[in-house]
Amino acid sequence: AAIDHLIAIVKTSKDEQYRVLSVRSVLRLLRENSLGDLTELTYYDDLLASAKDADMRKQIIADIANLKTVNALNYVAGRIDNTELGLTASTTAIRIASTEEGKESLKGEEIAFAIIEANAGDKLKEALHQYRRESEELRETPDGFTALFNGKNLNGWKGLVANPYKRAAMSADELEKAQTEADKLMRKHWTVIDGVLYFDGEGSHLCTQKDYRDFELFVDWKIEKHGDSGLYLRGTPQIQIWDPSNEEQRSVGSGGLYNNKIHENNPLRNADNPVGEWNTFHIIMRGERVTVYLNDVIIVDNVVMENYWERDKPIYPVEQIELQSHHTPLYFKNIFIKELVPQGPRFNGSLFNGKNLNGWEIVGNGKWDVVDGLLTTSGSGGGWISTIRQFSDFKLDLEFRLPENGNSGVFIRALREGNPAYAGMEIQVLDDYGDKYKTLQPWQYTGSVYSVQAPAKRVTKHANEWQKMEITCVGPSVKIVINDVEINNVNLIDYMEKVKDHPGIIRRKGYIGFQNHSTKIEYRNIHLKEL
């Protein structure tokens, strides 16, 4: 919140010292807070345009090296031909592209395209983008995954025999005979061309030879105009693929659980690339629930997939995966799967034993202690304390006590890297009545999902009194109860416009922790039940 005010000082102040201090302060805030590279680059650009001194502008450009992203490299590369900033922009580009131990680095192709694009005209940019689309090669198999399609032939695939219900009723001889005929038909219409799995629009589905239970799946797909297809999970239709511009589709995008009747069947939004371009599904299936990302946008969030073949039963626990044929040409590649380990017994118990920090780890340089059975910090050092394991859906009960002007927060589904309030989510814990906090935003008071949604009412007690908090997370739903009164019930799907700056909104699993925010805080009776 301070950055906009500081940039205003840089723009308007006649006092050089104020301007210098404001520039330094903005740069420090950008270094210390993860706001997303596009947001940070917007601030850098505004600051660069506001700075009146050449040395200031060079320092601003140099600081962009902290981002280490393609967007940052593209930004500084576009200033290499600037007489004043060219050398600094060049060395900054080198720093962004340089490998650093312990950090992810940009790939050579990303570096090359960023440098070229930064200095290209509109026609060349479009040609480059087209080149990248047309020249995409098979990706390397991600760590922990297995390639279902090898890019060369149809090994590991078979033709479709009926549906799971009918197959189960066949004898071994009947099934073998039917499979032989199905495989002959499959090979007539499914082929591999230049590393791409191609379907000519005739025949039937392509099925994995192996059956799968819980899994994580990546699939790249492409269709032509009015194209139609889908993915059958455990032999059941289907995650929809089609042309959203087709009037019959009513502009509904791909990725929905098309055959659901009771549970949600439409995608949350249209995330399709234009027809003729490649799209990527990232699918996670556990039990009977499915989550789907299309082109990195969440479009199905932990929804029950219904059994199309036997409506009175849940989806089959183990079955094949199928690429649906629907009388239109289809293209698939980069099909990777990871079988998920069956989940053990759900946790239901105390996260804090009242004696020591077993089960917890301190993140950052703060200090946490156990005093008289309480988990506490004096507020020195900052950082936070985190559970050693991650949780997805849960009900968390705890009690907290704050001093006057006390400040803390409960991190949920958080990461150990970056700012957990944004890489995950923070449920605010604050002395709502403290003089220090009279002018905060509504979403900064106790029980808010920080920076997302404010509490509906204030039900907190005054400083130095014990208070109760209950947090329930199920998929995109977050419910917060303070002192036995529900004050927040959030559907995170309603806030997807914030994802760029607050990626934790789409995280469905992470660490739980407590914030050390420069004041004393005490927690006790910390109980969690996995749901």
Side-chain angles (χ1 to χ4, degrees), residues 232-274:
Y232 282 34
L233 307 184
R234 301 202 197 128
T236 301
Q238 87 209 53
I239 295 178
Q240 183 65 43
I241 295 174
W242 58 13
D243 175 4
S245 66
N246 189 345
E247 292 181 3
E248 295 179 8
Q249 269 77 278
R250 304 179 309 283
S251 299
V252 176
S254 300
L257 305 186
Y258 181 78
N259 290 285
N260 271 6
K261 287 188 174 181
I262 300 171
H263 301 88
E264 184 62 45
N265 59 4
N266 280 337
L268 296 169
R269 59 192 45 78
N270 185 335
D272 293 66
N273 288 329

Side-chain angles (χ1 to χ4, degrees), residues 353-423:
N353 62 19
K355 301 175 183 177
N356 51 48
L357 297 180
N358 287 354
W360 297 85
E361 290 180 358
I362 296 173
V363 182
N365 56 359
K367 189 175 186 328
W368 289 81
D369 296 299
V370 179
V371 179
D372 296 330
L374 307 178
L375 179 61
T376 183
T377 179
S378 63
S380 61
W384 59 295
I385 190 168
S386 163
T387 54
I388 59 173
R389 59 167 291 189
Q390 301 186 46
F391 297 94
S392 299
D393 295 344
F394 56 85
K395 179 173 176 284
L396 176 66
D397 295 283
L398 58 89
E399 294 179 73
F400 65 89
R401 183 165 64 181
L402 291 157
E404 289 185 13
N405 293 313
N407 191 343
S408 182
V410 180
F411 295 133
I412 58 175
R413 294 175 175 168
L415 293 175
R416 296 274 182 88
E417 300 79 29
N419 185 340
Y422 292 91

